[in-house]
Amino acid sequence: MRPCAGCLNGNSHMSLVVMKFGGTSVENPAAISRTVSIVAGRVAMGKQPVVVVSALAKVTDQLLRAAASAAQGDRTGALAISSRLRSRHRDTAAALVKNPGDLMNLIDQKFDALDEILRGLAAILELTPRISDLIVSYGERLSSRIVTAALCEKGINAVHVDARDVIVTDSQFQKAIPQDAIIEKRAGERLRPLVDQGHVPVMGGFIGSNEEGITTTLGRGGSDFTGALIGGALTAEAIEIWTDVDGIMTADPRVCPDALRVKVISFEEAAELAYFGAKVLHPATILPAVKKNIPVLVLNSRNPSNEGTRIISLAPHCKSPFKSIAVKKKLSIIDVVASRMLMTHGYLKEIFTIFDKHKCPVDMVSTSEVSVSLTVDSNDRLPAIAADLSQLADVKYEGKKALICLVGEDIRGQNGIAAQVFNAVRHINVRMISQGASEINMSFMIEEDDADEAVRSLHAAFFKDPDPDIFDVEARKLTAQPAN
Ligand code: ASP
Ligand code: MG
């Protein structure tokens, strides 16, 4: 077959992929070198990558600690954290780039500016969300510079782009809302031409700026969100989320050694799992990609040949009802029990008003004629919440609970699933049950100490004969080989 003109001139058949690398994929020179090879591999395949990176692992936490110390007047402590971070970034740069002079100057400039802010903060003693965002932004501003230089060092045509010029948000510091229309326009202006000229743009995740150019952030873990926003804005062929696990698993492999990789899962299922604590993806990642029907791939930068998990809008039919079992631990259950007002008009509203006042999100609710049970993340405001609730009714609360959540689109309209689930855990005391309105998850609450056993029992019941189109059964076959 004759190659077409498009293939020959090299450009029009290439396809744009957003590659997002998390903190562990850029944590040290070895990790950054792996990341560089992965990007080089995509370029060699004829892909057009746009790279989004997190801060080096743990840097965001350390910047927040520096900010908190400074705001408490511990100027020396704050500057000590900054100085350790400066050395770490300088050492990383030096290990990756042969002539790192310019990069070192850049790193020093940034840390000089950061130190100025920390000193100011130690004088003012007030940490506003706006200053907090400015301080944490250094993590991604630094990592993206180092990764750009490391890519160039290996002959890749990488160009640094300041994420704050593209990710325009509102002014809700620490959890800013991206402005899709402006982002699309900016991505078209700032990123598209670079890609068309054969460059690989590299930008930090997580950070943005409001329309006045003041630095904002998208919330913790927000780099995935940046990846999805950029993928959506540029209508990428795919968004790759490079992390340190093989993708979404049927259960936590540390708890359940025969857990399998889920090869393909729907957006809705993945979002449900993310909410229930499967730490692989930020739930909001899902949205900008869903809107444009762009597949999201979760891949392992320590095992790049693994095909990972593909998240698509409509998952293919699966022979087993569930795709994965997630667990959320450290929960408390609050029982609000019968009193004269129970079930009168406005009662539930009053209960929720109290949770709202304490800024305490509620995970699951179940009501009966005489009681309301709610589950929340265990937190130190519980005694105060209980005191407020006891104005309305008798209140009991108990910690050390876990929520087990089974997710799968194929439970929709299937009879008898609940019976199978509770049969599998019949030896475990179940406190509360809910089937989400989404109809793709079933959750129940148990004692935290029973959680691992529950997951293993459910896994044994539902993943005995896994569908090879959906789950990586090859891996199980390999490990199941007899020893002799
Ligand atoms: N560095 C930020 C965080 O740790 C954002 C991210 O990594 O996604 O929350
Ligand atoms: Mg992350």
Side-chain angles (χ1 to χ4, degrees):
M1 210 169 68
R2 218 156 45 95
C4 70
C7 298
L8 288 177
N9 73 30
N11 241 346
S12 46
H13 281 226
M14 290 217 240
S15 35
L16 195 148
V17 237
V18 173
M19 305 178 76
K20 181 263 169 176
F21 293 90
T24 53
S25 302
V26 294
E27 65 187 341
N28 54 32
I32 295 176
S33 297
R34 279 196 300 269
T35 289
V36 167
S37 320
I38 292 167
V39 175
R42 287 292 183 267
V43 172
M45 282 164 64
K47 303 282 180 197
Q48 297 177 298
V50 174
V51 175
V52 174
V53 294
S54 287
L56 314 201
K58 306 259 157 43
V59 167
T60 305
D61 289 332
Q62 284 157 11
L63 288 167
L64 286 170
R65 273 207 294 121
S69 302
Q72 282 157 18
D74 181 8
R75 183 168 176 270
T76 319
L79 292 173
I81 296 173
S82 168
S83 148
R84 279 196 297 275
L85 285 173
R86 187 192 292 247
S87 305
R88 179 171 169 202
H89 284 85
R90 287 183 58 103
D91 293 350
T92 306
L96 289 161
V97 181
K98 238 183 258 108
N99 296 308
D102 291 348
L103 182 58
M104 287 298 182
N105 289 340
L106 229 140
I107 292 172
D108 279 332
Q109 271 168 27
K110 295 217 188 307
F111 277 102
D112 291 346
L114 174 65
D115 289 349
E116 268 313 292
I117 299 167
L118 292 172
R119 282 191 205 100
L121 194 53
I124 305 169
L125 301 175
E126 190 199 349
L127 180 57
T128 60
R130 172 173 162 173
I131 298 297
S132 176
D133 275 357
L134 179 61
I135 291 173
V136 279
S137 74
Y138 281 93
E140 271 72 9
R141 285 157 67 189
L142 287 154
S143 65
S144 55
R145 291 288 184 175
I146 295 175
V147 171
T148 307
L151 284 162
C152 289
E153 190 78 8
K154 285 284 165 327
I156 293 166
N157 210 346
V159 180
H160 183 264
V161 173
D162 192 327
R164 296 170 299 174
D165 294 337
V166 182
I167 302 294
V168 178
T169 69
D170 70 3
S171 300
Q172 289 180 60
F173 296 102
Q174 297 184 317
K175 201 135 195 76
I177 314 264
Q179 309 295 296
D180 293 347
I182 309 178
I183 293 171
E184 199 166 319
K185 184 161 171 286
R186 295 283 183 94
E189 290 163 3
R190 312 274 162 121
L191 297 170
R192 176 72 70 190
L194 290 172
V195 172
D196 287 346
Q197 290 155 24
H199 293 292
V200 174
V202 181
M203 53 191 271
F206 176 55
I207 61 174
S209 74
N210 69 10
E211 283 184 74
E212 287 84 62
I214 312 285
T215 302
T216 58
T217 66
L218 303 175
R220 292 306 306 270
S223 293
D224 294 344
F225 198 7
T226 305
L229 287 165
I230 297 296
L234 294 171
T235 320
E237 174 197 67
I239 297 161
E240 298 180 349
I241 305 285
W242 289 88
T243 173
D244 56 357
V245 294
D246 279 340
I248 295 176
M249 306 290 287
T250 52
D252 182 344
R254 286 164 305 181
V255 171
C256 189
D258 53 354
L260 298 162
R261 177 169 56 87
V262 183
K263 294 200 280 192
V264 57
I265 194 165
S266 74
F267 282 118
E268 255 193 280
E269 290 168 331
E272 202 80 40
L273 284 169
Y275 178 76
F276 281 95
K279 286 282 176 292
V280 180
L281 269 188
H282 191 287
T285 303
I286 307 298
L287 289 171
V290 176
K291 280 193 208 150
K292 292 220 170 169
N293 221 346
I294 300 169
V296 175
L297 284 113
V298 179
L299 297 157
N300 187 353
S301 63
R302 292 186 182 147
N303 185 16
S305 60
N306 189 287
E307 62 177 86
T309 298
R310 192 175 176 81
I311 307 174
I312 57 177
S313 43
L314 283 178
H317 175 73
C318 174
K319 280 186 221 135
S320 50
F322 299 116
K323 299 286 194 324
S324 179
I325 307 168
V327 181
K328 197 169 180 187
K329 290 187 179 173
K330 296 201 181 73
L331 296 178
S332 290
I333 186 165
I334 305 176
D335 292 317
V336 183
V337 186
S339 84
R340 63 200 153 78
M341 273 163 63
L342 193 66
M343 292 305 139
T344 56
H345 176 74
Y347 182 77
L348 281 174
K349 182 171 171 226
E350 283 193 58
I351 292 182
F352 280 105
T353 305
I354 290 169
F355 283 93
D356 191 46
K357 177 182 139 195
H358 292 276
K359 295 202 168 40
C360 176
V362 173
D363 269 319
M364 188 159 122
V365 186
S366 103
T367 63
S368 77
E369 211 52 55
V370 292
S371 70
V372 183
S373 299
L374 306 104
T375 67
V376 299
D377 283 354
S378 296
N379 63 68
D380 47 20
R381 287 160 312 209
L382 276 177
I385 294 170
D388 281 353
L389 287 170
S390 64
Q391 310 281 313
L392 300 177
D394 292 335
V395 182
K396 275 190 314 205
Y397 64 94
E398 244 178 81
K400 292 205 73 189
K401 300 286 175 280
L403 197 58
I404 307 285
C405 170
L406 297 114
V407 170
E409 296 228 13
D410 294 284
I411 61 174
R412 263 185 186 131
Q414 275 203 42
N415 297 327
I417 299 285
Q420 288 173 45
V421 167
F422 293 109
N423 189 42
V425 293
R426 62 188 178 280
H427 53 305
I428 289 167
N429 180 27
V430 174
R431 285 290 298 270
M432 231 170 120
I433 301 172
S434 121
Q435 177 162 0
S438 62
E439 287 187 2
I440 65 165
N441 96 62
M442 279 185 57
S443 342
F444 59 89
M445 167 145 305
I446 57 177
E447 296 298 326
E448 206 170 81
D449 291 343
D450 291 334
D452 292 356
E453 169 58 24
V455 170
R456 284 190 286 263
S457 302
L458 289 163
H459 201 274
F462 288 101
F463 297 95
K464 226 186 326 225
D465 182 21
D467 186 336
D469 289 341
I470 308 292
F471 305 103
D472 182 12
V473 293
E474 294 305 316
R476 181 181 283 181
K477 276 190 211 143
L478 288 176
T479 49
Q481 302 266 324
N484 51 347

